Amino acid sequence: MKNELTNDILKVLYTEEQLNERVRELGAEIAERFAGRQPLFVGILKGSVLFLADLIRACPLRCDLEMMAVSSYGNATASSGRVRINHDLQQDIRGRDLILVEDILDSGNTLCFLKDYLKAKGAASITIVTLLDKPSGRQKAVNADYVGFTVPDAFVVGYGLDYAQFYRNLPYIGILKPEVYEKS
Ligand code: XMP
Ligand code: MG
């Protein structure tokens, strides 16, 4: 269906149905791995919210939830390399098994910083779950334990991922037309 959002999409990479199926698979794998434990999900705002909401519903564990907000990008489509915490944890995480939930692992700057930060706060373990992995963008040696999909070297939006804060509400993931960010 054409509308003012979908007009800017070059190509749909993952449909709503594909996302749904993959997130359910990830949820089942994580639930099996953490059975009998009480992990703490830590969602990274804002990009992970749609994924996180679906993932925890696919994960029938006795778990709790925290959100962190970090920024490294501004409105550009390339990482600045600097990471700043805009919203921090609201509880002591010493001895906890953390499941860090991210929308996309690109340069690795965000997750590299967060892993060190959360380790220093005393987490017992840190498991990284990312919906998307873009290995071509990597600048830091960081890998995810669970990856939804590996994406090509293109700027992707939808299902939580934004360009300049827009497109998060697309129910699918698509590649943004380059002219959208080239003109701004
Ligand atoms: P890094 O480079 O730190 O990236 O691994 C993590 C954050 O960068 C954003 N990012 C993207 N956002 N489409 C987006 O909408 C992309 O292709 C993209 N690549 C990186 C994202 O916010 C992620 O949390
Ligand atoms: Mg983001």
Side-chain angles (χ1 to χ4, degrees):
M1 198 178 65
K2 286 278 173 206
N3 60 44
E4 58 182 302
L5 282 186
T6 59
N7 280 343
D8 292 345
I9 303 302
L10 184 67
K11 184 182 163 201
V12 175
L13 278 184
Y14 307 109
T15 63
E16 198 170 350
E17 292 73 27
Q18 287 173 310
L19 290 170
N20 208 297
E21 193 185 328
R22 187 67 187 118
V23 174
R24 280 168 189 276
E25 284 172 3
L26 288 173
E29 284 177 40
I30 292 166
E32 199 178 307
R33 163 126 165 239
F34 285 89
R37 286 149 78 187
Q38 294 190 10
L40 171 62
F41 280 88
V42 179
I44 313 304
L45 291 169
K46 303 170 192 165
S48 77
V49 285
L50 277 74
F51 174 44
L52 178 73
D54 289 338
L55 184 69
I56 58 174
R57 282 180 288 182
C59 228
L61 290 168
R62 191 174 169 82
C63 58
D64 53 340
L65 181 60
E66 284 282 334
M67 304 303 292
M68 287 186 76
V70 297
S71 57
S72 67
Y73 264 70
N75 283 348
T77 55
S79 175
S80 68
R82 288 188 310 265
V83 180
R84 195 179 65 196
I85 296 180
N86 299 324
H87 174 75
D88 209 342
L89 300 165
Q90 305 293 299
Q91 63 172 286
D92 187 351
I93 59 160
R94 266 175 295 182
R96 297 296 309 270
D97 293 313
L98 304 191
I99 302 177
L100 210 48
V101 181
E102 182 53 308
D103 54 355
I104 183 167
L105 171 54
D106 190 350
S107 70
N109 286 321
T110 306
L111 284 174
C112 190
F113 169 86
L114 281 174
K115 260 181 103 167
D116 289 347
Y117 179 78
L118 296 168
K119 232 183 269 169
K121 290 240 169 200
S125 68
I126 302 169
T127 300
I128 294 178
V129 185
T130 187
L131 176 67
L132 305 178
D133 186 9
K134 196 194 279 186
S136 57
R138 206 73 95 248
Q139 293 168 11
K140 297 264 169 66
V142 49
N143 285 311
D145 299 280
Y146 296 91
V147 174
F149 299 97
T150 299
V151 293
D153 187 17
F155 200 77
V156 296
V157 295
Y159 194 57
L161 290 116
D162 70 302
Y163 169 66
Q165 301 301 328
F166 293 116
Y167 309 102
R168 295 190 197 277
N169 54 332
L170 283 174
Y172 54 82
I173 287 176
I175 297 179
L176 195 61
K177 286 180 183 167
E179 62 256 37
V180 175
Y181 50 85
E182 277 159 9
K183 77 185 173 201
S184 55

